[in-house]
Amino acid sequence: MRLHVAEHPLVAHKLTVLRDRGTDSPTFRQLADELVMLLAYEATRDVRTVEVEVTTPVAPTTGTALAAPKPLVVPILRAGLGMLDGMTRLLPTAEVGFLGMVRDEETLQATTYANRLPDDLSGRQCYLLDPMLATGGTLAAAVAYLFERGADDVTAICLLTAPEGLEALRASVGDDDRVRVVTAAVDERLDEHGYIVPGLGDAGDRLYGVV
Ligand code: URA
């Protein structure tokens, strides 16, 4: 597994405002969207491309186009939805699948309650969107799910990560370098409820309110 922490002053600034408990939902959504675009820029460095011929008003030349099959973007419901617009703005031709996973707050185990994904992901590059990599259970299950369907490589884009979650994911995928995590920061630890410390609280609630 490879880890990329996006170190950039704009990433740090936006993350700081997201952390602030005084930031309201509309501002949180806007900043999460902007932060995802910056992370997506890093996350798509290895997106597959092909050489194409293009003719400018001046001369023919060689350019770059995204290769087939199209990348697949998979937000993990519910909080991953808050990252979808930022991601597809950068990668508008990507297809979008959905994975609904919920964490049992007692056992911290992840279970899948919904999926809307192509059955066959052979040869596909996949981008999982999950704002908080906390215990790692949800993401490890999601990565396994995509590989079971034939995905070629999987990049998880997370606003924030905890060392425990990264370790759990590493334990699950081993040194498989087809798995990559791109994040704005690795925080200190998890608390006894599985929240990232200092973190930013419950990402779903901060995006959408408490339901
Ligand atoms: N999920 C969240 O939304 N926040 C955390 O801190 C951990 C898991």
Side-chain angles (χ1 to χ4, degrees):
M1 183 189 102
R2 293 176 287 157
L3 171 67
H4 179 83
V5 181
E7 279 167 14
H8 189 287
L10 290 180
V11 168
H13 168 74
K14 290 178 198 303
L15 180 59
T16 303
V17 184
L18 288 177
R19 289 188 191 281
D20 188 338
R21 67 179 179 184
T23 299
D24 61 17
S25 254
T27 312
F28 191 95
R29 277 200 291 270
Q30 173 69 32
L31 279 164
D33 184 70
E34 293 170 10
L35 183 52
V36 170
M37 280 187 69
L38 297 176
L39 296 179
Y41 183 73
E42 293 295 338
T44 49
R45 267 186 198 284
D46 295 338
V47 72
R48 289 188 197 123
T49 58
V50 288
E51 232 178 61
V52 291
E53 299 307 314
V54 61
T55 304
T56 79
V58 179
T61 186
T62 304
T64 301
L66 293 187
K70 291 174 182 165
L72 182 73
V73 174
V74 184
I76 299 183
L77 307 179
R78 138 183 96 128
L81 274 185
M83 301 171 72
L84 182 58
D85 283 355
M87 185 70 193
T88 51
R89 206 171 301 122
L90 211 68
L91 213 52
T93 55
E95 286 179 349
V96 180
F98 296 91
L99 209 44
M101 306 196 84
V102 68
R103 179 176 81 150
D104 184 307
E105 294 299 333
E106 302 269 295
T107 64
L108 303 181
Q109 292 298 309
T111 48
T112 305
Y113 66 86
N115 103 63
R116 184 80 193 202
L117 292 173
D119 286 336
D120 182 9
L121 296 177
S122 301
R124 301 291 289 264
Q125 280 185 299
C126 298
Y127 295 90
L128 274 171
L129 307 178
D130 192 7
M132 308 298 273
L133 173 45
T135 61
T138 303
L139 211 52
V143 169
Y145 205 84
L146 296 180
F147 278 134
E148 269 164 32
R149 292 186 172 214
D152 223 28
D153 72 40
V154 179
T155 298
I157 303 179
C158 305
L159 302 182
L160 265 183
T161 57
E164 294 90 332
L166 287 168
E167 210 32 65
L169 188 58
R170 203 170 275 122
S172 163
V173 302
D175 54 11
D176 187 343
D177 66 3
R178 296 175 306 160
V179 180
R180 212 153 65 98
V181 176
V182 176
T183 185
V186 181
D187 269 7
E188 286 167 33
R189 63 184 171 84
L190 293 182
D191 71 9
E192 63 280 17
H193 305 293
Y195 277 86
I196 299 177
V197 181
L200 50 74
D202 187 301
D205 289 353
R206 301 232 24 219
L207 282 162
Y208 302 118
V210 184
V211 289

